[in-house]
Amino acid sequence: MVRLPALCYMAIATGIVSAYDPNLGFKGGPQIENRTIDEIYEAAVAEGGIVTVWHGGDEPGQQEGLKQAFEARFPKMTLNVTVDVSKYHDGNIDRQLATGGVYVDSAILQTLHDYPRWDNEGALLHYIPLNFYNLQPSFREIRGAWYGITVVSWSIIWNKDKIAEGPKEFEDFLKPEFKDKLVLTYPNDDDAVLYAFDLIMQQYGYEWFEGLLAQNPRWVRGSATPVSLLYQSNTTVVATFTSSVGLAPPEPLGIAFPTKGHFVTWPQRAAILKDAPHPEGAKLLHNYLLSEEYQSSQPTWSVLKDIPAPAGYDDLANIQSTNPNGFEGFMADRERAERLRLFFEDKIGTPQGLSPLKDDL
């Protein structure tokens, strides 16, 4: 008989002790908010007047508008917001959870698959904010472990000063006039862009991708980078489909959503960590994000059922060429996503360049 060293027995025993299932405690009932937002504000100020949020993104100042709006609405509060790529934020949150040193209050990330996992680990606060039941039902976890707070959409974008007519469908990107003039985010560097390529190629076939490569696009890191390059007058690039500028693009950008091709939308999720050091501040932030005041001010489709689409756009539920719930399933299948990532890595190489948070584009 093989005898295991004492340390092995200790490791096994420790693993058994720590491998518990918090769901079997049946203590998952949510906290249901019944205070006004001003009463929550008072509690958050009494707690210290601070809320720390980690927000997915790829440009350092992307959430400066949120910080300014929140602090203007609640002048006794300080919103500490750190923007980084979601696939890096989630690992660092895992590190905090593993070491017991949680210092983030709220996580707003693109990595939708992380939220069920964190909830199963008992890491998320079950909290029902004031407008929870006005959310689209598929945009919320029934106990308030997480919920969508904004709808992100990849649109076709072009610079109207550089080209008379922009592309309207994904097939248009293969037209001769766009050769050497496209800028695209590496699909093997961003899961939402990977999903976009998957949708397009499942519809138009591998031949479409071959045609796109023949156009010699400029590949970049970060989904905000293509828009930055489109703005620059000294670049030859004129169009992209791997970015978002909302539904009210600033001049001189034009946008279109394909009606034949399938485009990407999803509700960006938010959650409060159960061990958040500032839970009242996090509750205030989440209630503000889901308020009609904030949702009505955003140039995109709302996650709330009673906020109409911006002028000139149909309700998201009526648009046949997108499924805002499809990205969740894509993100959950990590094995398939990894196979796709490696497929594109083989075709276009590994992502080159600095992190988009560190470059100067």
Side-chain angles (χ1 to χ4, degrees):
M1 182 178 67
V2 177
R3 295 184 178 274
L4 295 175
L7 287 176
C8 289
Y9 285 112
M10 292 176 60
I12 292 171
T14 302
I16 292 173
V17 170
S18 62
Y20 67 93
D21 185 348
N23 290 301
L24 297 184
F26 301 109
K27 298 178 181 179
Q31 300 177 19
I32 300 175
E33 187 59 77
N34 55 21
R35 298 171 294 178
T36 67
I37 198 165
D38 288 331
E39 289 172 334
I40 304 170
Y41 178 27
E42 291 178 8
V45 172
E47 181 184 67
I50 294 172
V51 56
T52 297
V53 58
W54 279 10
H55 204 298
D58 48 29
E59 291 293 339
Q62 275 180 330
Q63 296 305 319
E64 188 61 29
L66 171 59
K67 177 178 172 64
Q68 292 176 359
F70 180 77
E71 292 180 352
R73 175 65 176 83
F74 307 105
K76 296 180 181 179
M77 295 295 299
T78 297
L79 177 60
N80 297 321
V81 56
T82 300
V83 173
D84 201 348
V85 179
S86 293
K87 65 181 181 181
Y88 300 149
H89 263 331
D90 64 353
N92 288 316
I93 289 175
D94 283 335
R95 173 67 178 166
Q96 291 181 41
L97 295 172
T99 59
V102 173
Y103 59 87
V104 171
D105 301 308
S106 169
I108 303 175
L109 305 178
Q110 174 182 298
T111 50
L112 306 187
H113 59 292
D114 283 317
Y115 292 85
R117 175 175 64 84
W118 284 330
D119 188 34
N120 286 334
E121 294 170 355
L124 302 183
L125 180 68
H126 293 166
Y127 173 69
I128 306 294
L130 292 172
N131 250 348
F132 183 79
Y133 294 108
N134 286 334
L135 283 162
Q136 299 288 347
S138 63
F139 291 179
R140 51 183 165 88
E141 197 277 329
I142 195 168
R143 299 170 301 170
W146 71 85
Y147 26 82
I149 50 90
T150 188
V151 173
V152 183
S153 56
W154 291 149
S155 56
I156 293 172
I157 309 171
W158 66 92
N159 186 316
K160 295 184 291 186
D161 289 344
K162 294 182 178 182
I163 189 167
E165 183 177 355
K168 303 299 191 300
E169 298 285 346
F170 297 121
E171 297 162 296
D172 295 339
F173 284 87
L174 307 188
K175 292 180 177 179
E177 58 263 36
F178 293 115
K179 186 174 178 61
D180 300 319
K181 295 182 179 181
L182 302 178
V183 56
L184 302 170
T185 306
Y186 284 100
N188 45 323
D189 199 33
D190 185 300
D191 278 342
V193 177
L194 185 66
Y195 179 48
F197 273 82
D198 188 32
L199 287 177
I200 297 168
M201 292 170 65
Q202 293 295 341
Q203 184 174 10
Y204 292 108
Y206 183 73
E207 296 75 17
W208 175 89
F209 183 60
E210 288 182 319
L212 184 71
L213 292 181
Q215 296 288 67
N216 191 33
R218 177 175 175 179
W219 299 101
V220 297
R221 299 192 65 193
S223 60
T225 306
V227 172
S228 297
L229 291 170
L230 289 180
Y231 272 122
Q232 295 178 14
S233 59
N234 61 345
T235 63
T236 59
V237 295
V238 301
T240 189
F241 60 84
T242 62
S243 293
S244 174
V245 290
L247 305 185
E251 292 294 337
L253 300 182
I255 67 169
F257 291 97
T259 57
K260 294 191 298 181
H262 300 150
F263 66 94
V264 175
T265 55
W266 78 90
Q268 189 89 319
R269 285 180 178 173
I272 299 172
L273 296 180
K274 189 174 67 175
D275 295 331
H278 309 104
E280 296 300 328
K283 292 173 185 176
L284 179 63
L285 173 64
H286 285 209
N287 278 278
Y288 174 66
L289 290 171
L290 292 181
S291 67
E292 293 186 7
E293 171 191 355
Y294 181 80
Q295 290 287 318
S296 298
S297 70
Q298 300 307 295
T300 184
W301 289 286
S302 176
V303 294
L304 299 179
K305 294 181 290 186
D306 53 359
I307 302 292
Y313 292 93
D314 200 356
D315 288 340
L316 189 58
N318 297 331
I319 299 175
Q320 302 299 311
S321 51
T322 191
N323 174 13
N325 298 311
F327 188 44
E328 176 183 16
F330 177 86
M331 293 294 283
D333 191 346
R334 299 316 300 164
E335 181 180 343
R336 182 172 184 273
E338 179 66 7
R339 289 200 305 270
L340 284 169
R341 187 186 69 80
L342 292 174
F343 169 83
F344 285 107
E345 182 178 301
D346 176 58
K347 304 305 177 186
I348 62 177
T350 57
Q352 300 297 305
L354 295 173
S355 161
L357 282 99
K358 297 178 180 178
D359 64 25
D360 57 357
L361 297 176

